[in-house]
Amino acid sequence: MLLDLHTHSIKSDDGRAKVKNYCQWIKAKNLEIDGFVLTEHRQFDDESDYSALAEKFGITILKGSEVETEYGHVLVFGVTSALQNAFDFTSTHLAIAEVLEQSKLHGAIAIPCHPGRPRVGMFAHTDQLGVPDGVEIVEIYNGGSRDQEDQIAIDNAIKLGYKGIGGSDSHIVSHIGRCATRFESKISSMDDLVAALKSDNFEAISLK
Amino acid sequence: MTISSISDVEFGEELPVFEPDTSLETVKTFAKIIGWGGARFSDHEAARKEGFPGAIVPGILSQGYLVAMIHQWAPQAEIKQIDTIFRAAVVADESHQITGVVTDINEDENLVEIDITVVNSKGETRVFGTASVEIACEK
């Protein structure tokens, strides 16, 4: 099963895609992905219910978040109300240690995204701040990567023994599905996704 | 083929690719005309000293090219809004392509939404966004 683990909709300040149009696009273009996770910036979207769209189009639609730390941006999967109270999702200066620790404590999983990117990627900060404890997975394929950003992510992930995921980081409709993560198991809920990410049975895919 | 009626527009339709003139001469001339003096638009070396990868194409010139790309496809279209996010500099003298695809059609209001992307020769996205375009319904 292929899931794009990193997408944004109009709920994000820089997102311009409506979720319905994502679904239409995936079907119209016969994209390989079976679903996607909405990871809105600095928030968890409690309000939106995409179950009707998911059913209509036969697409898995899940919700996570993308938060901001001193090491750059981090995806969080398995967000609960309790986790939302554990740290301030809206902050642009979270401590990555707290995000990793609290996520683990609440049964979620935190994954640094586009880690090879200057300024907002984890490996841009490890020379100065050191390698943070507790990271097990990083995003090694990102649909918005430029220059050698994905290669930096891959090289460092290998060096540090991290597993890798892929996500398009789409902000407009036509950019969805550029990168994804292949799972051996069927994922139909966030619990399934978190469990699969805690296993070794997935691989990052670039479809660019 | 150009579009003159919203009924001819299809979801997922790709607009003809547009290759903008990003030559340093054009950029320099444009910046001068609009009163944006400054080395970042006219001199690669000086722009690098300012931290840019080379002389850059002003954002409003890129916006103009986006409009040109849409009008090349639908000459009579009225562009209601162009909303762009500049992810990286569009560097002068480097070849770029502007692509557009239809991602929403609202026939009740004659509105079409278009994803627009400016990519460099390496296929890297420099600018992306959406345009909302009104196209008449000719029956």
Side-chain angles (χ1 to χ4, degrees):
Chain A
M1 182 166 195
L2 264 186
L3 289 182
D4 183 340
L5 296 185
H6 189 172
T7 68
H8 299 274
S9 77
I10 50 175
K11 286 277 178 181
S12 287
D13 50 5
D14 60 351
R16 300 293 181 266
K18 286 171 256 182
V19 176
K20 182 182 128 193
N21 295 143
Y22 271 146
C23 296
Q24 289 176 309
W25 183 263
I26 290 165
K27 291 299 174 188
K29 296 294 179 182
N30 289 317
L31 298 191
E32 289 182 53
I33 58 170
D34 301 294
F36 55 93
V37 185
L38 291 154
T39 49
E40 312 294 5
H41 289 293
R42 300 178 302 282
Q43 61 178 298
F44 179 73
D45 176 13
D46 275 312
E47 299 168 345
S48 306
D49 179 359
Y50 300 115
S51 54
L53 275 178
E55 189 173 344
K56 180 181 174 187
F57 288 93
I59 291 170
T60 300
I61 306 173
L62 303 174
K63 295 188 290 187
S65 181
E66 181 175 354
V67 298
E68 299 183 15
T69 75
E70 82 277 34
Y71 278 88
H73 296 187
V74 176
L75 301 174
V76 184
F77 301 109
V79 178
T80 60
S81 300
L83 182 58
Q84 288 178 77
N85 291 326
F87 59 82
D88 179 6
F89 276 53
T90 66
S91 171
T92 55
H93 297 92
L94 289 167
I96 197 168
E98 186 184 17
V99 171
L100 290 161
E101 185 186 336
Q102 290 297 331
S103 295
K104 194 170 183 180
L105 203 62
H106 289 84
I109 190 160
I111 299 176
C113 53
H114 40 68
R117 188 164 300 168
R119 199 174 60 79
V120 294
M122 186 177 95
F123 298 127
H125 302 280
T126 45
D127 280 352
Q128 192 187 347
L129 302 176
V131 176
D133 290 332
V135 175
E136 294 176 6
I137 308 172
V138 293
E139 184 184 61
I140 56 170
Y141 288 128
N142 177 286
S145 287
R146 297 179 291 272
D147 302 318
Q148 295 300 305
E149 290 174 5
D150 281 351
Q151 197 56 52
I152 291 167
I154 291 165
D155 291 346
N156 280 282
I158 291 169
K159 190 170 83 177
L160 294 163
Y162 298 153
K163 290 174 277 186
I165 63 163
S168 68
D169 201 359
S170 59
H171 289 72
I172 58 175
V173 173
S174 56
H175 286 182
I176 197 168
R178 290 178 157 192
C179 299
T181 306
R182 188 188 306 283
F183 295 93
E184 286 187 10
S185 55
K186 180 171 165 48
I187 311 285
S188 52
S189 68
M190 185 49 75
D191 286 347
D192 291 345
L193 176 61
V194 171
L197 288 169
K198 288 180 177 175
S199 76
D200 278 331
N201 298 322
F202 61 87
E203 65 169 328
I205 303 283
S206 175
L207 300 162
K208 283 188 234 178
Chain B
M1 184 185 126
T2 58
I3 292 291
S4 57
S5 171
I6 194 166
S7 58
D8 296 331
V9 180
E10 291 180 13
F11 183 89
E13 178 174 346
E14 295 181 9
L15 281 62
V17 172
F18 186 90
E19 297 196 357
D21 175 3
T22 57
S23 66
L24 188 59
E25 268 315 300
T26 297
V27 170
K28 204 189 299 186
T29 304
F30 180 85
K32 191 176 171 188
I33 289 169
I34 63 168
W36 285 13
R40 68 181 62 174
F41 303 119
S42 59
D43 184 321
H44 287 304
E45 200 48 48
R48 284 186 199 107
K49 283 183 185 157
E50 286 189 50
F52 295 102
I56 59 170
V57 177
I60 54 168
L61 179 54
S62 291
Q63 293 255 11
Y65 286 136
L66 297 175
V67 170
M69 186 263 298
I70 293 167
H71 278 149
Q72 173 184 268
W73 170 68
Q76 308 304 320
E78 184 179 337
I79 295 170
K80 296 295 199 183
Q81 186 181 6
I82 288 194
D83 181 7
T84 44
I85 293 163
F86 289 80
R87 276 288 192 250
V90 176
V91 180
D93 281 338
E94 287 186 7
S95 137
H96 290 77
Q97 287 193 330
I98 302 175
T99 59
V101 288
V102 175
T103 57
D104 200 12
I105 302 170
N106 178 347
E107 292 207 41
D108 293 337
E109 296 181 31
N110 292 342
L111 289 176
V112 169
E113 194 147 303
I114 299 165
D115 276 7
I116 42 187
T117 310
V118 180
V119 296
N120 63 11
S121 57
K122 290 191 277 184
E124 297 167 344
T125 300
R126 317 306 283 183
V127 183
F128 67 82
T130 56
S132 180
V133 174
E134 184 173 340
I135 302 174
C137 180
E138 290 180 5
K139 300 202 171 161

